[in-house]
Amino acid sequence: MDSEKCTACGDCVEICPRQLFELHPVSHRLWVACKNLDSDDDAEIECEVACTACERCATDSPEGLITIKDNLAVIDYRKNALASRVGIERCPTGAIVWINQKDEIEKGAKAKSIIRKQALPLRRA
């Protein structure tokens, strides 16, 4: 991520055939880096870092900040002032991330490490 280069034009949001992108203000430091709506095991078959709707983020965060809807964590940005790294710490896949002041993406301590030896194959929609 490079916030210095992004002009927030929205082209990436509009052109993505899988609707994977959203634009957010830089003040939204807590972020769900997943759009997969499949349930637990099915989600991980498609993506190693998919949200599995385990609810740890929702349990650990201030009430109502993160909820689970359609097998996916959802952040209520009206409560953004309550957001902190606590919501990412126990995420087992790293689907919930924190974007620090240097615009670096941080995963929680419990997130599994993914080490790729080669690129994943392209899946045709």
Side-chain angles (χ1 to χ4, degrees), residues 5 9-10 20 30 41 60-61 86 95 123:
K5 293 181 182 176
C9 67
L20 297 176
L30 187 62
D41 291 336
D60 295 347
S61 293
V86 72
R123 192 179 89 176

Side-chain angles (χ1 to χ4, degrees), residues 29-80:
R29 299 287 175 192
L30 187 62
W31 181 56
V32 181
C34 179
K35 292 278 195 163
N36 192 332
L37 300 177
D38 291 336
S39 63
D40 191 6
D41 291 336
D42 292 336
E44 285 194 284
I45 289 170
E46 290 294 319
C47 177
E48 296 172 66
V49 293
C51 177
T52 60
C54 70
E55 299 188 30
R56 291 177 187 143
C57 57
T59 301
D60 295 347
S61 293
E63 186 174 342
L65 178 64
I66 302 176
T67 56
I68 305 298
K69 182 179 179 189
D70 297 327
N71 299 313
L72 187 63
V74 176
I75 299 169
D76 182 350
Y77 286 109
R78 293 173 299 176
K79 299 179 179 185
N80 192 53

Side-chain angles (χ1 to χ4, degrees), residues 1 29 97-107:
M1 179 171 104
R29 299 287 175 192
V97 298
W98 181 258
I99 302 172
N100 66 26
Q101 295 297 325
K102 296 178 183 176
D103 289 336
E104 299 165 331
I105 294 174
E106 298 177 8
K107 293 183 180 183

